Coordinates of all heavy atoms in Angstrom, one line a residue:
G8 N 47.1 -30.3 1.8 CA 48.1 -31.2 1.3 C 47.6 -32.3 0.4 O 48.4 -33.2 0.1
K9 N 46.4 -32.2 -0.1 CA 45.8 -33.3 -1.0 C 45.8 -32.8 -2.4 O 45.4 -31.7 -2.7 CB 44.4 -33.6 -0.6 CG 44.3 -34.2 0.8 CD 44.9 -35.6 0.9 CE 44.6 -36.2 2.2 NZ 45.2 -37.6 2.3
Y10 N 46.4 -33.6 -3.3 CA 46.3 -33.4 -4.7 C 45.5 -34.5 -5.4 O 45.6 -35.7 -5.0 CB 47.8 -33.4 -5.3 CG 48.6 -32.2 -4.8 CD1 49.1 -32.2 -3.5 CD2 48.8 -31.1 -5.6 CE1 49.9 -31.1 -3.1 CE2 49.5 -30.0 -5.2 CZ 50.0 -30.0 -3.9 OH 50.8 -28.9 -3.4
K11 N 44.8 -34.2 -6.5 CA 44.0 -35.1 -7.1 C 44.1 -35.1 -8.6 O 44.4 -34.1 -9.2 CB 42.5 -34.9 -6.7 CG 42.2 -35.2 -5.2 CD 40.8 -35.0 -4.9 CE 40.6 -35.3 -3.4 NZ 39.1 -35.2 -3.0
V12 N 43.9 -36.3 -9.2 CA 43.9 -36.5 -10.6 C 42.6 -37.3 -10.9 O 42.3 -38.3 -10.3 CB 45.1 -37.3 -11.1 CG1 45.0 -37.6 -12.6 CG2 46.4 -36.5 -10.9
R13 N 41.9 -36.8 -11.9 CA 40.6 -37.4 -12.3 C 40.6 -37.9 -13.7 O 41.2 -37.3 -14.6 CB 39.4 -36.5 -12.0 CG 39.2 -36.3 -10.5 CD 38.2 -35.2 -10.3 NE 37.9 -35.1 -8.8 CZ 37.3 -34.0 -8.3 NH1 37.0 -33.0 -9.0 NH2 37.1 -34.0 -7.0
F14 N 40.0 -39.0 -13.9 CA 40.0 -39.7 -15.2 C 38.6 -40.2 -15.5 O 37.9 -40.7 -14.6 CB 41.0 -40.9 -15.2 CG 41.0 -41.7 -16.4 CD1 41.3 -41.2 -17.7 CD2 40.7 -43.1 -16.3 CE1 41.3 -42.0 -18.8 CE2 40.8 -43.9 -17.4 CZ 41.0 -43.4 -18.7
L15 N 38.1 -40.1 -16.7 CA 36.8 -40.6 -17.1 C 37.0 -41.8 -18.1 O 37.2 -41.5 -19.3 CB 35.9 -39.5 -17.8 CG 34.5 -39.9 -18.1 CD1 33.7 -40.3 -16.9 CD2 33.8 -38.7 -18.9
P16 N 36.9 -43.0 -17.6 CA 37.2 -44.2 -18.5 C 36.1 -44.3 -19.6 O 34.9 -44.1 -19.4 CB 37.1 -45.4 -17.6 CG 37.3 -44.8 -16.2 CD 36.7 -43.4 -16.2
H17 N 36.6 -44.5 -20.8 CA 35.7 -44.6 -22.0 C 35.8 -46.0 -22.6 O 35.1 -46.3 -23.6 CB 36.0 -43.6 -23.0 CG 37.4 -43.6 -23.6 ND1 38.5 -43.3 -22.9 CD2 37.8 -44.0 -24.9 CE1 39.6 -43.4 -23.7 NE2 39.1 -43.9 -24.9
V18 N 36.7 -46.8 -22.1 CA 36.9 -48.2 -22.6 C 37.1 -49.1 -21.3 O 37.9 -48.7 -20.4 CB 38.1 -48.3 -23.5 CG1 38.3 -49.8 -24.0 CG2 37.9 -47.4 -24.8
T19 N 36.5 -50.3 -21.3 CA 36.8 -51.2 -20.2 C 38.1 -51.9 -20.4 O 38.8 -51.8 -21.4 CB 35.7 -52.3 -20.2 OG1 35.6 -53.0 -21.4 CG2 34.3 -51.7 -19.9
G20 N 38.5 -52.6 -19.3 CA 39.8 -53.3 -19.3 C 40.8 -52.6 -18.4 O 40.5 -51.7 -17.7
T21 N 42.1 -53.1 -18.6 CA 43.1 -52.6 -17.7 C 43.8 -51.3 -18.2 O 44.1 -51.2 -19.4 CB 44.2 -53.7 -17.5 OG1 43.6 -54.9 -17.0 CG2 45.4 -53.2 -16.7
W22 N 43.9 -50.3 -17.4 CA 44.6 -49.1 -17.7 C 45.8 -48.9 -16.7 O 45.7 -49.4 -15.6 CB 43.6 -47.9 -17.5 CG 42.6 -47.7 -18.6 CD1 41.4 -48.4 -18.7 CD2 42.6 -46.8 -19.7 NE1 40.7 -48.0 -19.8 CE2 41.4 -47.0 -20.4 CE3 43.5 -45.9 -20.1 CZ2 41.1 -46.3 -21.6 CZ3 43.2 -45.1 -21.2 CH2 42.0 -45.3 -22.0
T23 N 46.8 -48.2 -17.2 CA 47.9 -47.8 -16.4 C 48.0 -46.3 -16.3 O 47.4 -45.6 -17.1 CB 49.2 -48.3 -16.9 OG1 49.5 -47.7 -18.2 CG2 49.2 -49.9 -17.1
Y24 N 48.6 -45.8 -15.3 CA 48.8 -44.4 -15.1 C 50.2 -44.0 -14.6 O 50.8 -44.9 -14.0 CB 47.8 -43.7 -14.2 CG 47.8 -44.2 -12.8 CD1 48.7 -43.6 -11.9 CD2 47.1 -45.3 -12.3 CE1 48.8 -44.0 -10.6 CE2 47.2 -45.7 -11.0 CZ 48.0 -45.1 -10.1 OH 48.1 -45.5 -8.8
E25 N 50.7 -42.8 -14.9 CA 51.9 -42.3 -14.4 C 51.8 -40.8 -14.3 O 51.3 -40.2 -15.2 CB 53.1 -42.7 -15.2 CG 54.4 -42.3 -14.6 CD 55.6 -42.8 -15.4 OE1 55.4 -43.4 -16.5 OE2 56.8 -42.6 -14.9
T26 N 52.3 -40.3 -13.1 CA 52.2 -38.8 -12.9 C 53.5 -38.2 -13.3 O 54.6 -38.8 -13.3 CB 51.9 -38.5 -11.5 OG1 53.0 -39.0 -10.7 CG2 50.6 -39.2 -11.0
R27 N 53.4 -36.9 -13.6 CA 54.5 -36.0 -13.8 C 54.3 -34.7 -13.0 O 53.2 -34.2 -12.9 CB 54.7 -35.6 -15.3 CG 55.1 -36.7 -16.2 CD 55.3 -36.3 -17.6 NE 54.1 -35.8 -18.2 CZ 53.7 -34.5 -18.5 NH1 54.6 -33.6 -18.1 NH2 52.6 -34.2 -19.0
S28 N 55.4 -34.3 -12.3 CA 55.2 -33.1 -11.4 C 56.6 -32.5 -11.2 O 57.6 -33.2 -11.3 CB 54.6 -33.5 -10.1 OG 54.5 -32.4 -9.2
N29 N 56.6 -31.2 -10.8 CA 57.8 -30.5 -10.4 C 58.2 -30.8 -8.9 O 59.1 -30.2 -8.4 CB 57.8 -29.0 -10.7 CG 56.6 -28.4 -10.0 OD1 55.7 -29.0 -9.4 ND2 56.7 -27.0 -10.0
V30 N 57.3 -31.5 -8.3 CA 57.5 -31.9 -6.9 C 57.8 -33.4 -6.8 O 57.0 -34.2 -7.2 CB 56.2 -31.6 -6.0 CG1 56.4 -32.1 -4.6 CG2 56.0 -30.1 -6.0
P31 N 58.9 -33.8 -6.2 CA 59.3 -35.2 -6.2 C 58.3 -36.1 -5.6 O 58.1 -37.2 -6.1 CB 60.6 -35.2 -5.4 CG 61.2 -33.8 -5.6 CD 60.0 -32.9 -5.7
A32 N 57.6 -35.7 -4.6 CA 56.6 -36.6 -3.9 C 55.4 -36.9 -4.8 O 54.7 -37.9 -4.6 CB 56.1 -35.9 -2.6

């Protein structure tokens, strides 16, 4: 039941994220 998203930052500072999925949760 675990889903993961991975990101490799290439710039310092504040980043935001938002997911998209066909599953509401």
Side-chain angles (χ1 to χ4, degrees):
K9 296 291 184 182
Y10 292 78
K11 293 183 178 179
V12 172
R13 289 172 175 162
F14 174 61
L15 184 62
H17 63 288
V18 177
T19 58
T21 300
W22 285 80
T23 63
Y24 66 86
E25 184 174 6
T26 65
R27 291 182 295 107
S28 177
N29 61 345
V30 173

